Structure formats: C-alpha cells, structure tokens
Amino acid sequence: MLSLQDRNWSAFHLTELFDSIQRGKRLKRADQQRGEVPYVSSSALNNGVDGFISRAKGCRVFSNCISLANSGSVGSAFYEPFEFVASDHVTHLKRDGLKKEHYLFLVAALGKQSSNFNFNREINDQRIQGMQVMLPTNMLGEPDWRFMEDYIREREADQAQRCREFLTKRIADIERERERERE
C-alpha cells in the first residue's frame, strides 16, 4: 500500500492549484423552481445538495469540480462530478485536466483546513486567496498528481474489496437464516 509518510509535502495556495475559483450566485428560495439540477448550498450533508431546481436565468452551473462551503458548514468540501447550481455560500474550485481521484485527494486536504473557520470566521474571497493546502510533491517540487491518483485508486479498490467481503458474508448469513426458517 502507498504511504503518505514516505512523501515530501509542500504547501500550495488554492490560486496555484485551481484555474477557476468562483462563487455561486444568490438565488432566493422564491426564485427557485423545482427541477432536476442539484442545488448545492453550504450544508455538510449529501455533498452539499440542498434540493433540486431548474436552471434559473443567470444562475451559474458548475460540474466536475470541488464545492467549498463559505458559510454555514464552513470549510465543508465535496467533489461534485455532476452538473449543479451553486448558492452564493459556495465556491467552486476547478482545474482543467484533473481526474476524480485528484479532486478526492484535494477534498481531503481541504478538510484539514476546516478547523480554521467557523460561523464567525467564514471563508471570503480574500481568505481564499491566502488559503493553502499541504500536498505530496514530486522531485520538481510540484504537486505529485500521479501519486494522488494512485493513492485514491488504491484506497477505493481496498474499500470495494471490503464491501464485497461484507456482502458475501451477509448473503451467506441470510441464506442460513432462511434455511433454518424452512426447517
């Protein structure tokens, strides 16, 4: 298994890591129409999805990026692989060429920053400019994207194997219970 301990790490500003850092747009409840597009707000639950709306005129639609809660559950970060509309309490962070695995690693790194914020100390545009995250680096001192991708893939494969083992055991338990009931 790959280890986080045998890597060199450096701090990187969010502005170095992401090509696009943009807040969602204010969309009052009265202006929201039910629909099929996820509406991401500053909740720490359900990937921040607060409901499903139709696209309103002028709303910002994002996809394949990180959503970062600026207020409410300040510092909550999620990888959003789907198209969504973001509230003005959410900042989207995107970099061209990143894969799901990179975003998942970055979400974990951003999660380490959440303790720096609270209800009275929200994330504003100025604070985002100064925010840094620690990332593993390659021999050139750049973010080691390959390691991050491999690390997440390894963890996903391990988790999938654990799920398969659990389900196999659970199915066997259910079958034994059914056999006992038939006797």
Side-chain angles (χ1 to χ4, degrees):
M1 296 267 303
L2 293 172
S3 172
L4 298 175
Q5 282 72 34
D6 64 1
R7 313 303 298 175
N8 291 321
W9 291 72
S10 291
F12 294 91
H13 282 92
L14 296 189
T15 54
E16 294 176 84
L17 297 172
F18 298 103
D19 303 322
S20 178
I21 300 175
Q22 186 179 28
R23 272 186 187 256
K25 202 167 183 184
R26 183 152 182 81
L27 188 60
K28 297 179 286 191
R29 282 260 187 228
D31 296 332
Q32 296 177 18
Q33 301 291 321
R34 288 193 97 135
E36 296 182 5
V37 180
Y39 180 69
V40 174
S41 190
S42 58
S43 173
L45 305 173
N46 302 320
N47 262 45
V49 175
D50 190 34
F52 292 86
I53 65 171
S54 60
R55 290 187 181 141
K57 185 177 181 180
C59 68
R60 295 183 179 143
V61 178
F62 304 108
S63 68
N64 194 38
C65 63
I66 293 173
S67 64
L68 176 65
N70 302 319
S71 61
S73 298
V74 186
S76 294
F78 298 103
Y79 168 57
E80 311 288 6
F82 45 79
E83 278 194 348
F84 67 98
V85 172
S87 81
D88 60 329
H89 298 286
V90 171
T91 297
H92 108 290
L93 307 169
K94 186 175 180 93
R95 178 183 177 123
D96 287 338
L98 290 189
K99 297 177 181 176
K100 170 189 84 165
E101 294 82 8
H102 301 130
Y103 282 123
L104 291 173
F105 197 99
L106 288 164
V107 162
L110 282 164
K112 300 290 184 191
Q113 296 297 315
S114 65
S115 63
N116 295 324
F117 304 101
N118 59 44
F119 186 76
N120 293 319
R121 189 176 193 296
E122 295 182 342
I123 299 174
N124 58 30
D125 294 340
Q126 183 180 9
R127 288 186 178 127
I128 281 184
Q129 297 297 314
M131 276 180 74
Q132 295 181 325
V133 292
M134 295 295 292
L135 295 176
T137 57
N138 61 23
M139 292 173 61
L140 300 173
E142 301 166 339
D144 193 342
W145 300 113
R146 181 67 193 183
F147 172 79
M148 289 182 249
E149 182 179 348
D150 292 344
Y151 183 85
I152 294 296
R153 284 192 176 156
E154 194 174 78
R155 294 310 176 279
E156 285 180 329
D158 182 57
Q159 193 64 24
Q161 180 60 33
R162 288 180 189 204
C163 288
R164 282 190 291 277
E165 290 169 4
F166 170 80
L167 291 172
T168 300
K169 183 181 180 314
R170 184 67 183 122
I171 289 169
D173 291 346
I174 290 170
E175 288 173 352
R176 276 193 295 277
E177 287 175 26
R178 285 185 179 165
E179 282 184 30
R180 275 189 229 128
E181 288 173 2
R182 287 185 211 140
E183 294 175 356

